[in-house]
Amino acid sequence: MTAKRAIDFIGATFGLVIFAVPMACVGGLVRLTLGSPVIHRQTRPGLHARLFEIYKFRTMRDLNDAAGNPLPDRLRITPLGRFLRRTSLDELPELLNVLRGEMSLVGPRPLRVDYLEKYSPEQARRHDVMPGITGLAQINGRNTLNWDERLALDVWYVDHASLWLDLKILMKTAVKVVRAADVDRGRHPGDGEPQIAWLADKLAGL
């Protein structure tokens, strides 16, 4: 067992113990507001793009249009679901994925399977490491990042991964969760600004 895997296993076990009561409360609220199932499962690509089922608390209703297609997320998500996503509580069941060896505490977030065909060969290197519950994109703007920015951070992590970097990412993630600061209000690359310069500025504090 590698040092990273050992830390992941111990951290996930400790996390499940610490968050057992909050997870039980969230599960009960989801059951009351949305019914079953409480856990949402979705297939995602992991290490070397191998597929696995990611676990999350359910945040949306099952609402379809006349043709049977799911309505947009903004129409299906519940107030509780918005709160769970804003506080990242919906992602706590992913600790089980970490225990199963399908995810790490830190790494590029596993995105949807249909995104696989959109990656350039360079961007596809994000799958050279285990996907994580949190990562560089999550502490540097999260959903405010555009596609290229987010994947550039993922590839940077692949090239610079270390236990010390993981520790700093976990610490910064904890601060953002406590502050509910999922939105990066810092500088973004402007028109014509080289991405490498923006990336260096983003990572200067790591």
Side-chain angles (χ1 to χ4, degrees):
M1 181 182 289
T2 65
K4 182 177 175 69
R5 176 58 188 151
I7 292 172
D8 284 340
F9 186 86
I10 294 170
T13 301
F14 185 71
L16 286 170
V17 171
I18 292 297
F19 293 110
V21 173
M23 288 178 69
C25 293
V26 170
L29 289 172
V30 172
R31 180 62 184 272
L32 286 174
T33 58
L34 290 173
S36 296
V38 170
I39 299 296
H40 173 67
R41 302 185 180 192
Q42 189 175 53
T43 301
R44 298 286 178 94
L47 180 64
H48 305 314
R50 289 194 296 264
L51 302 183
F52 72 99
E53 277 194 334
I54 193 172
Y55 304 136
K56 292 187 174 187
F57 281 118
R58 190 173 163 211
T59 58
M60 294 189 292
R61 302 182 185 90
D62 293 325
L63 299 177
N64 301 318
D65 60 21
N69 300 312
L71 293 175
D73 290 359
R74 62 183 176 80
L75 298 178
R76 295 189 295 134
I77 192 167
T78 65
L80 174 62
R82 289 192 187 92
F83 171 77
L84 295 180
R85 290 191 179 187
R86 187 174 67 251
T87 57
S88 298
L89 289 172
D90 64 316
E91 296 176 0
L92 285 177
E94 291 170 25
L95 291 169
L96 294 172
N97 291 117
V98 176
L99 280 184
R100 289 163 56 94
E102 298 161 333
M103 292 180 66
S104 175
L105 294 176
V106 179
R109 285 291 300 167
L111 303 179
R112 287 169 17 195
V113 174
D114 56 313
Y115 289 167
L116 286 172
E117 61 185 22
K118 302 180 185 296
Y119 301 136
S120 69
E122 175 70 6
Q123 292 169 341
R125 292 202 300 117
R126 71 192 306 277
H127 296 297
D128 289 349
V129 297
M130 195 83 73
I133 293 179
T134 187
L136 281 178
Q138 283 61 53
I139 64 170
N140 283 291
R142 200 174 179 178
N143 294 332
T144 66
L145 300 173
N146 67 37
W147 176 261
D148 289 334
E149 292 166 2
R150 182 171 186 171
L151 298 185
L153 288 169
D154 291 343
V155 174
W156 192 95
Y157 175 82
V158 171
D159 291 335
H160 299 84
S162 69
L163 295 180
W164 178 236
L165 178 60
D166 284 0
L167 177 59
K168 288 188 282 189
I169 291 173
L170 286 171
M171 292 172 62
K172 287 178 177 286
T173 298
V175 171
K176 282 187 172 288
V177 169
V178 169
R179 295 178 178 175
D182 292 332
V183 178
D184 179 15
R185 303 181 186 279
R187 185 171 63 90
H188 289 269
D191 293 338
E193 181 181 9
Q195 188 178 72
I196 189 64
W198 167 81
L199 189 58
D201 182 62
K202 275 288 190 183
L203 299 173
L206 291 178

